[in-house]
Amino acid sequence: MASVAAPYDEQSVVWRTWHTLALVAMLAGIVLVGVVLPWAAGPSGNYRHARLFAWLATLGFLTGFALVMGHGLTGLARGIFVDGRNKMSVSRLQMFLWTILVLSACLTAALANVGLGAAEPLAVSVPDPLLLAMGVSTSSLIASPLVLHRANGKAVATNDTAHESRWTDLARGEQRGLDDVVDLAKLQLLLVTVVLVLAYAVGVGNAFADDGHVVSALPTVDDAFVVMLGISHAGYIAKKAVPAPPRARAGGATRA
């Protein structure tokens, strides 16, 4: 008996022409803003504000690029933050935040140096603690799904589609039956990430508003910066590694 092909579902085709055009426009905007603004201001002009504005614009363009990409692939702007369980992932969010922050800073510095005709415009060093922080975030993103699956197996809470994901997933428990309670390890990682990202963003903004005409290095960070991030990630992974206990009912019996 011949098999019947599944009916064509137009809604399953998410990517549209406007997604492609939007991505190209954002890439062009990054180059245009990063090079033209500092060059137009010139060393003797209002260079500091030009470079600072170029960084903020680049940060916005990169964020928009990621959101358009997520929408084109999943139908949701938040799609890049949705993991294989169709849940919002705090590890995906924090890796995204660190990535766009560091990349936008490096790119803005390099393009501004190009616009000013620097001898070595791409010679922008990134401090080792910052690279270590990004490495910790990447390792956490890779390890957390594996640890969660091995520890809890079929007890992991999932959604049927990405459209069922919610921002509240960033602080919810990940085991079935516990997904309506706050996971303190996830909440700690979320808060630590937001605070450290904002603090470093302020440092980058101050560096770009400095009197120097060429940026040769991103702002340095203290070792305590990485230690704090590492502790939050360690707690986040360790919490996943512990199988969830049965949840007590209101009458004292446990939930199967």
Side-chain angles (χ1 to χ4, degrees):
M1 182 176 179
S3 59
V4 179
Y8 174 76
D9 183 7
E10 185 177 358
Q11 293 183 349
S12 65
V13 182
V14 181
W15 194 272
R16 298 288 187 267
T17 302
W18 74 263
H19 290 106
T20 303
L21 295 177
L23 295 183
V24 172
M26 288 179 187
L27 290 176
I30 289 173
V31 176
L32 184 65
V33 169
V35 174
V36 172
L37 278 183
W39 172 81
S44 60
N46 194 10
Y47 176 68
R48 295 182 300 171
H49 294 122
R51 186 168 56 192
L52 179 59
F53 179 78
W55 170 61
L56 293 175
T58 300
L59 190 62
F61 279 130
L62 288 178
T63 301
F65 187 95
L67 296 181
V68 170
M69 181 71 71
H71 187 276
L73 296 177
T74 67
L76 297 169
R78 65 178 184 273
I80 58 172
F81 307 127
V82 178
D83 61 16
R85 301 174 300 117
N86 287 322
K87 296 272 191 177
M88 297 284 285
S89 169
V90 66
S91 58
R92 282 173 171 260
L93 176 62
Q94 58 90 26
M95 183 177 178
F96 166 77
L97 292 176
W98 282 119
T99 299
I100 64 166
L101 177 59
V102 175
L103 285 184
S104 64
C106 288
L107 184 58
T108 300
L111 291 179
N113 293 344
V114 168
L116 290 174
E120 297 182 358
L122 302 183
V124 180
S125 64
V126 181
D128 290 339
L130 186 59
L131 293 176
L132 183 57
M134 295 185 67
V136 169
S137 300
T138 303
S139 300
S140 178
L141 176 66
I142 296 173
S144 58
L146 179 62
V147 173
L148 179 65
H149 178 73
R150 287 188 174 182
N152 297 279
K154 295 182 179 180
V156 177
T158 60
N159 287 328
D160 294 331
T161 67
H163 288 266
E164 297 178 47
S165 63
R166 298 291 182 268
W167 286 101
T168 52
D169 294 339
L170 297 176
R172 289 178 181 269
E174 297 177 316
Q175 291 80 30
R176 188 176 295 115
L178 295 176
D179 53 346
D180 58 346
V181 298
V182 176
D183 187 326
L184 290 181
K186 292 177 68 174
L187 182 60
Q188 181 195 52
L189 177 60
L190 178 62
L191 293 177
V192 168
T193 298
V194 170
V195 169
L196 293 182
V197 166
L198 287 177
Y200 193 74
V202 172
V204 171
N206 287 334
F208 284 153
D210 189 67
D211 290 333
H213 297 310
V214 174
V215 176
S216 59
L218 297 186
T220 59
V221 294
D222 190 78
D223 291 340
F225 185 98
V226 180
V227 172
M228 186 182 303
L229 188 63
I231 290 174
S232 63
H233 277 280
Y236 174 67
I237 297 297
K239 178 66 168 53
K240 289 177 179 286
V242 179
R247 186 176 179 182
R249 293 180 180 271
T254 58
R255 179 179 298 180

